[in-house]
Amino acid sequence: MTAALVASSDLDARTPEGETEPASPAPGRRGRIGLLAASLILVGLGSSFLVASTLAPDAVDKATGEIKVAVSEQMRQILEPDRLPEIDLGGEGGMRELDRCDGTSTEMITYRIDGVPPLFAAHNNCGGDVILGWEVGQRVTVAGSDVVYEVVEERHTPKWSDVEALVGMSGELMVQTCFYGENRMRFLALAPVDPQPVAG
């Protein structure tokens, strides 16, 4: 009895009962096709993003900024569901201190006028965007303090507006950053939450 040698991909598999099953496709072929399709999709998306960022950079900045803020907030809620959002207030200064991007919000000395609470600012791409996910009623903490604050008021102005546009805002302090891809700044007034009376 002689046995013919045949390539394994041409053989039909035999079941224990002697019945034949159709040969399966070569291993990895489907995976390579899927990888090629995924690669083509990613190249197409990358090309589209490049064109969009060239033709409409503000729209791309706004969209990616909004996604970043939403994802950061979701991650905070997943990883630290019982912890309030926190902001780190730094020292006083002006644009030079603000541009350091050290992760803190700078108390802007140019905003010190009557009728405007102390104002702390940070660029959106330097951690200031944390406040873009907050709404009126949001409770927050300040790094290094046990005081819980609540967002009590919100105001928007065009960039480089006069500080007088903020006169009359309530609260103990304010935080500020710019919206991504827009000529707008966001100001939030924070007031300490009254401690709950202890039952006696």
Side-chain angles (χ1 to χ4, degrees):
M1 225 163 91
T2 54
L5 295 176
V6 185
S8 63
S9 62
D10 294 336
L11 289 177
D12 286 341
R14 300 259 178 208
T15 63
E17 294 82 27
E19 297 175 5
T20 60
E21 291 180 357
S24 60
R29 185 168 183 223
R30 287 185 188 149
R32 287 192 305 266
I33 291 171
L35 183 60
L36 176 63
S39 298
L40 291 173
I41 289 169
L42 288 175
V43 167
L45 287 172
S47 299
S48 300
F49 185 79
L50 180 63
V51 170
S53 62
T54 303
L55 299 177
D58 288 343
V60 171
D61 189 37
K62 181 177 181 181
T64 55
E66 288 173 353
I67 291 168
K68 180 183 176 225
V69 169
V71 169
S72 295
E73 178 57 21
Q74 287 295 320
M75 291 303 295
R76 185 193 67 75
Q77 289 179 8
I78 290 168
L79 298 175
E80 302 173 317
D82 299 326
R83 188 171 173 203
L84 293 174
E86 182 180 81
I87 192 162
D88 193 354
L89 304 181
E92 63 182 30
M95 288 305 296
R96 186 174 59 189
E97 289 76 19
L98 182 70
D99 290 342
R100 283 188 192 146
C101 286
D102 63 1
T104 67
S105 293
T106 302
E107 183 184 357
M108 302 301 290
I109 57 176
T110 55
Y111 281 76
R112 289 180 178 166
I113 67 168
D114 290 339
V116 176
L119 183 129
F120 294 83
H123 293 301
N124 55 19
N125 58 355
C126 298
D129 60 0
V130 67
I131 76 165
L132 294 177
W134 299 353
E135 300 296 337
V136 172
Q138 172 73 56
R139 292 192 171 186
V140 302
T141 59
V142 171
S145 171
D146 293 332
V147 178
V148 174
Y149 290 87
E150 184 174 316
V151 178
V152 292
E153 191 175 345
E154 173 178 3
R155 198 170 289 182
H156 301 170
T157 71
K159 291 180 182 178
W160 310 112
S161 293
D162 292 334
V163 66
E164 286 77 12
L166 304 175
V167 170
M169 283 192 74
S170 57
E172 183 175 281
L173 61 100
M174 292 192 319
V175 290
Q176 180 270 326
T177 197
C178 293
F179 286 97
Y180 283 103
E182 297 183 53
N183 181 30
R184 286 194 308 154
M185 298 188 294
R186 186 180 205 205
F187 298 87
L188 298 178
L190 306 181
V193 175
D194 291 332
Q196 298 299 317
V198 179

